[in-house]
Structures are given as structure tokens and as C-alpha cells.
């Protein structure tokens, strides 16, 4: 496979594309509910620490490999390994990444389908004047309706694979880039509203006053996994985007910008959601339904509530759309590398993801009690193991490749930074990120 000559049209375009991949369900849906399940502040602080110590340096490593290889992820790994006189079997890391994103996309598409359903409901004004308990009841009814859920899952997957198949993702990135600031603004409005609710004070102390006595190895594993998940790091998905990175751009600066944006979106969503949780006497550890139950209530208390809520779900849908395109891309690129036409590759992947997603849909009704592994049903398994185990393992190997396998000069060129900065990053990767990931993973296993 030859070097690609394609580049993002500007530095800004690259940052926005990576932000599009990073900001999604992870920030607005997953972050609040797993923080809720893990007791709040201590988890939140660990997550931020993991983003800074692991997520960020590994993100640079991942993009750097793509940028130095200028090929699809698997091909870049094989090419760079060959250049360094190492085994081309590093190629398999790209395949592992493709498997990881397959698992993630399967449940991601289902949950994004929930956003479609809630968008339609809020346009129809169905949440007006409802209490949290009432919204909760209709959400449960929706989960118990596999047909409706399958319909939404199918729709979302067609939206995603359609874009990936036609290769017009850049166009969508642009649209997203226009609308992302709007999503941010809406979250600010929501957080502003949260300040006026009776739950705000408790939400703040719950989110920011840590009690580290409750931290177990499993909490560490979850916080670490979420740091990778939210930044879209560890599945070689960003590697694909790095291949198109302009020559004259500082990679560390771009990565820091993305991480800051990503964390702040999560914090804003957390403040908005937990204020409502406490104001309404809800349970923060309510699970995957948390956002879907709290935000309709929060918005319905604002003037023009339905309008705001519809806009919010529309923007959330766009944010998840750009993330899922990034999730699908490495799989399609890998199959393309094996000689399959893009359209066929997208159809094949789409069909397989649909099937796995269908099993996730049924996990809320027909097969909710079927224990696949470790007492988890299909949905629980897919939404837990790939983000919390596969991404850190992938991230570990990516970090190892960039810090120990790649020739130093190639890595420094691709990072686009001076000697001191480069050494700082590399030593951080070698002596902090890699050992820390290993320790947390092993302690979780034990
Ligand atoms: N970062 C995305 C989100 O927060 C999910 C994602 C994970 C995307 C891994 C790509 C790769 O929603």
C-alpha cells in the first residue's frame, strides 16, 4: 500500500475532525452514568488524571504513527515496523483495533438510536410537563420495545455506513464543525440553568469533593477505560485520521486542544445532569438511562423547552454520527486494504455490526437475563469490555510501538516538536503511561 497524498484542508480542519471523533456519547451519556455508578468525585478526578497522564500522550502516539506511516492503520504499523527492522506482525495491532471498534460501534449505534427516538418524541412535545419519574417510565417502555429500538438502530447504522461508503465524511465533518460550537453553547445554557436548581450545590460537592476510600481496582479500570474511550484513543481509529495530517502542524498542541474540549464537554454535561438528579431526588447510579431521563426534565423547565430539547438531541445525534463514522472507518479501510471495494466493505461491516447491535437491542427485553460472560448480558458486555479492556490494551501497544519500536527520528519528525519536548513526551510514555496502564489492567484482572 502506497503513501497517501491526501491532507486535511487546514490545521483547524484536523483539530475539528479529531474533536468530532472524540466528542460523542462518551461525554454526554457515558461519562455521567458511570461517574454516577462509581460514586462521583473520586472517579471524576481519576478520569481527568488518566486523560492527562495516559489518554493525551497515547493520543499523540497514535496520531503520530498514522502521520509517519501515511497509510491505513495496519499498513502504517507494518511499514514503520519494517523501516525499523522489526517484525511486520505489528500489522495485527491494526486488526485488533478494527475488532475493538466493531464491538464499540455495535452498542454505540443502539444508544445513538435512542437519541433519534428522543429527538422525535421531543419534537412531538411528549416531554412537556412530565416529571422525571414519568419520563423514566416511558423510557423503560421504549427499552422493552425491541421493534422500535431495532428501527432506530437500523436507521442510525444506515446513516453511518452511508457516509462511510460514499467517502464523504469530510463533508460531514465540516457540518459537524459548524454545529459543534452550538452543542457547546447549549450545554452552557443547561449548566446555567442547573445553577438555578436546588440540586446544584449537592451536584457540585458530589462531583468535586472526593472520597478516595471507595476506590477499588475496578473503579481504576473503569476510569482508565473511559479516558481512552472519550478521547477515541486505543483502537487505531485516530491513526487513520493522522495519516492526513498537514506537515506544518504541531501535533501536541492539537491533541491538548482536543482533550481540553473533550473534558469540558463532559463536565458541563455532568453539572447539568447531576443538578437535576439531586433536585428531583433521583438516583445518580441509575445507569445507562441517566441522561435520557434527566435532560428532558431539565429542558422542560426552560422557556421553549421542547424546542431546546429537540435542538439538543439533534446536536447530540450529529456528535455521535461523527464519532461513529470514525469508529467504522478503520474496519472499512482494513477490508479495502485486502482488496474489497469501499461500498462492499461498508455493506459487509454494516451487516455484521447490525447483527451484533440487534443482540444489544434484545438485551433490554428478550435476552436481558442471558448471562454471556461475568454475569453480563450482551449489551452490558459490549459496553464494558471493549472500552475498559480492549482500548487500554490497544493503547498500551500503540504507546509501546511509538516509544520503543519506531526509530527516534521518525517519531520526532511526526510529532513536530523540538528535542526537549519530544524527549519529555517519550519519557512520559515510557516510564509513566505504559507502566501505569499495565498496573491498572493487571490489578483489575486480579
Ligand atoms: N470518543 C467517542 C465518544 O466519546 C467514542 C469513540 C471511541 C470513538 C473509540 C472512536 C474510537 O463518544
Amino acid at each position: 500500500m502506497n503513501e497517501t497524498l491526501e491532507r486535511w484542508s487546514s490545521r483547524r480542519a484536523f483539530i475539528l475532525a479529531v474533536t468530532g471523533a472524540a466528542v460523542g456519547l462518551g461525554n454526554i451519556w457515558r461519562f455521567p452514568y458511570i461517574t454516577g455508578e462509581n460514586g462521583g468525585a473520586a472517579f471524576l478526578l481519576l478520569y481527568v488524571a488518566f486523560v492527562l497522564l495516559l489518554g493525551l500522550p497515547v493520543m499523540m502516539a497514535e496520531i503520530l504513527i498514522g502521520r509517519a506511516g501515511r497509510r491505513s492503520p495496519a499498513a502504517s504499523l507494518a511499514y514503520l515496523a519494517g523501516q525499523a527492522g522489526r517484525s511486520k506482525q505489528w500489522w495485527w495491532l491494526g486488526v485488533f483495533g478494527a475488532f475493538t471498534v466493531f464491538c464499540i460501534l455495535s452498542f454505540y449505534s443502539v444508544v445513538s438510536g435512542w437519541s433519534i427516538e428522543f429527538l422525535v418524541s421531543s419534537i412531538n412535545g411528549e416531554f412537556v410537563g412530565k416529571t422525571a419519574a414519568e419520563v423514566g417510565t416511558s423510557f423503560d417502555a421504549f427499552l422493552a420495545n425491541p421493534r422500535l429500538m431495532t428501527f432506530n438502530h437500523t436507521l442510525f447504522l444506515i446513516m453511518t455506513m452511508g457516509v462511510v461508503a460514499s467517502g464523504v465524511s469530510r463533508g460531514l465533518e465540516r457540518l459537524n464543525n459548524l454545529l459543534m460550537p452550538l452543542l457547546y453553547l447549549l450545554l452552557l445554557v443547561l449548566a446555567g440553568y442547573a445553577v438555578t436548581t436546588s440540586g446544584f450545590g449537592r451536584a457540585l460537592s458530589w462531583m468535586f469533593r472526593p472520597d478516595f476510600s471507595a476506590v477499588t481496582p475496578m473503579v481504576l479500570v473503569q476510569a482508565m477505560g473511559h479516558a481512552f474511550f472519550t478521547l477515541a484513543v486505543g483502537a487505531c481509529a485516530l491513526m487513520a485520521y493522522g495519516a492526513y495530517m498537514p506537515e506544518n502542524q504541531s501535533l501536541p498542541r492539537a491533541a491538548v486542544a482536543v482533550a481540553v474540549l473533550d473534558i469540558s464537554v463532559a463536565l458541563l454535561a455532568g453539572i447539568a445532569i447531576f443538578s437535576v438528579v439531586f433536585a428531583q431526588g433521583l438516583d445518580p447510579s441509575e445507569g445507562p438511562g441517566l441522561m435520557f431521563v434527566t435532560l428532558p426534565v431539565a429542558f422542560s423547565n426552560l422557556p421553549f423547552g421542547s424546542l431546546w430539547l429537540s435542538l439538543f438531541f439533534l446536536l447530540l445525534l450529529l456528535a455521535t454520527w461523527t464519532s461513529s463514522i470514525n469508529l467504522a472507518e478503520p474496519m472499512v479501510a482494513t477490508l479495502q486494504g485486502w482488496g474489497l471495494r469501499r461500498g462492499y466493505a461498508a455493506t459487509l461491516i454494516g451487516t455484521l455490526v447490525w447483527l451484533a447491535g440487534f443482540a444489544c437491542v434484545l438485551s433490554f427485553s428478550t435476552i436481558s437475563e442471558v448471562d454471556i460472560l461475568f454475569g453480563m448480558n450482551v449489551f452490558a458486555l459490549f459496553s464494558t469490555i471493549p472500552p475498559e479492556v480492549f482500548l487500554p490494551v490497544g493503547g498500551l501497544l500503540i504507546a509501546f510501538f511509538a516509544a520503543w519500536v519506531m526509530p527516534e527520528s521518525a517519531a520526532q519528525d511526526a510529532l513536530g516538536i523540538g528535542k526537549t519536548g519530544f524527549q519529555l513526551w517519550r519519557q512520559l510514555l515510557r516510564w509513566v503511561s505504559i507502566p501505569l496502564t499495565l498496573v491498572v489492567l493487571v490489578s483489575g484482572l486480579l
Side-chain angles (χ1 to χ4, degrees):
M1 200 174 174
N2 288 327
E3 193 170 312
T4 175
L5 294 174
E6 242 184 292
R7 297 291 180 268
W8 297 102
S9 55
S10 66
R11 298 176 201 188
R12 186 161 174 272
F14 173 75
I15 295 187
L16 290 171
V18 178
T19 311
V23 175
L25 287 175
N27 311 66
I28 297 169
W29 166 72
R30 195 173 191 272
F31 166 73
Y33 100 73
I34 61 169
T35 304
E37 286 181 339
N38 285 297
F43 180 85
L44 190 151
L45 285 180
L46 285 170
Y47 144 80
V48 172
F50 282 131
V51 165
L52 299 177
L53 291 176
L54 303 179
L56 199 52
V58 179
M59 181 194 238
M60 293 181 204
E62 184 170 334
I63 297 174
L64 169 160
I65 294 170
R67 191 188 206 184
R70 298 270 185 220
R71 288 158 174 80
S72 78
S76 286
L77 286 160
Y79 167 75
L80 294 171
Q83 248 191 356
R86 303 294 183 88
S87 164
K88 297 216 169 160
Q89 298 299 326
W90 274 102
W91 185 83
W92 285 100
L93 176 52
V95 178
F96 177 62
F99 176 67
T100 305
V101 286
F102 171 81
C103 299
I104 293 180
L105 187 55
S106 303
F107 81 85
Y108 206 92
S109 166
V110 172
V111 179
S112 300
W114 300 354
S115 306
I116 299 181
E117 181 64 23
F118 270 64
L119 172 61
V120 173
S121 299
S122 65
I123 290 175
N124 290 335
E126 280 171 33
F127 298 115
V128 179
K130 286 247 173 95
T131 63
E134 285 164 339
V135 179
T137 310
S138 52
F139 182 63
D140 289 341
F142 168 63
L143 291 185
N145 184 344
R147 265 201 205 170
L148 193 53
M149 232 206 291
T150 304
F151 173 75
N152 288 306
H153 158 55
T154 311
L155 196 64
F156 184 78
L157 208 54
I158 291 175
M159 281 165 56
T160 299
M161 295 327 264
V163 172
V164 175
S166 58
V168 295
S169 50
R170 300 280 181 92
L172 193 83
E173 293 291 350
R174 271 195 208 122
L175 176 71
N176 192 54
N177 299 338
L178 273 173
L179 294 173
M180 195 86 82
L182 208 55
L183 177 69
Y184 202 83
L185 210 71
L186 257 188
L187 283 170
L188 274 176
V189 170
L190 260 190
Y193 162 73
V195 176
T196 69
T197 65
S198 61
F200 178 66
R202 278 189 64 200
L204 272 195
S205 70
W206 195 76
M207 281 175 75
F208 298 108
R209 200 174 293 158
D211 166 17
F212 285 104
S213 66
V215 174
T216 61
M218 275 335 272
V219 173
L220 285 175
V221 169
Q222 280 185 281
M224 177 171 84
H226 190 68
F228 283 102
F229 183 83
T230 189
L231 291 179
V233 167
C236 303
L238 289 184
M239 213 180 271
Y241 281 8
Y244 313 125
M245 194 174 172
E247 268 81 11
N248 56 356
Q249 181 165 18
S250 156
L251 202 169
R253 214 178 286 169
V256 169
V258 172
V260 168
L261 225 91
D262 194 75
I263 293 181
S264 57
V265 168
L267 291 183
L268 286 176
I271 289 173
I273 287 172
F274 288 119
S275 298
V276 176
V277 165
F278 289 116
Q280 299 268 334
L282 299 173
D283 177 9
S285 62
E286 123 116 40
L290 191 65
M291 175 201 100
F292 289 94
V293 174
T294 47
L295 290 191
V297 178
F299 276 111
S300 75
N301 280 307
L302 292 173
F304 307 109
S306 287
L307 190 69
W308 289 112
L309 186 63
S310 309
L311 191 61
F312 171 81
F313 277 115
L314 184 70
L315 294 170
L316 177 65
L317 196 62
L318 277 167
T320 64
W321 200 5
T322 45
S323 293
S324 66
I325 288 166
N326 182 247
L327 284 163
E329 180 62 33
M331 294 187 273
V332 173
T334 304
L335 288 191
Q336 233 186 340
W338 290 346
L340 222 61
R341 289 232 319 264
R342 200 168 173 86
Y344 287 135
T347 311
L348 180 66
I349 299 286
T351 309
L352 294 175
V353 170
W354 185 87
L355 285 171
F358 185 57
C360 289
V361 165
L362 296 182
S363 303
F364 291 93
S365 46
T366 332
I367 57 168
S368 65
E369 302 300 322
V370 178
D371 167 1
I372 305 289
L373 208 66
F374 312 126
M376 291 188 268
N377 66 25
V378 180
F379 181 84
L381 195 73
F382 273 51
S383 58
T384 309
I385 302 295
E388 285 161 21
V389 182
F390 296 176
L391 287 182
V393 169
L396 187 69
L397 294 170
I398 288 167
F400 186 84
F401 187 88
W404 295 100
V405 176
M406 264 180 88
E408 198 173 321
S409 58
Q412 190 180 337
D413 280 351
L415 195 63
I417 186 179
K419 186 130 195 86
T420 326
F422 172 73
Q423 284 305 338
L424 210 72
W425 164 80
R426 200 155 85 136
Q427 303 310 335
L428 179 69
L429 218 52
R430 283 185 167 181
W431 309 114
V432 179
S433 311
I434 293 176
L436 189 60
T437 311
L438 261 178
V439 167
V440 174
L441 273 175
V442 171
S443 71
L445 266 181
L446 300 178

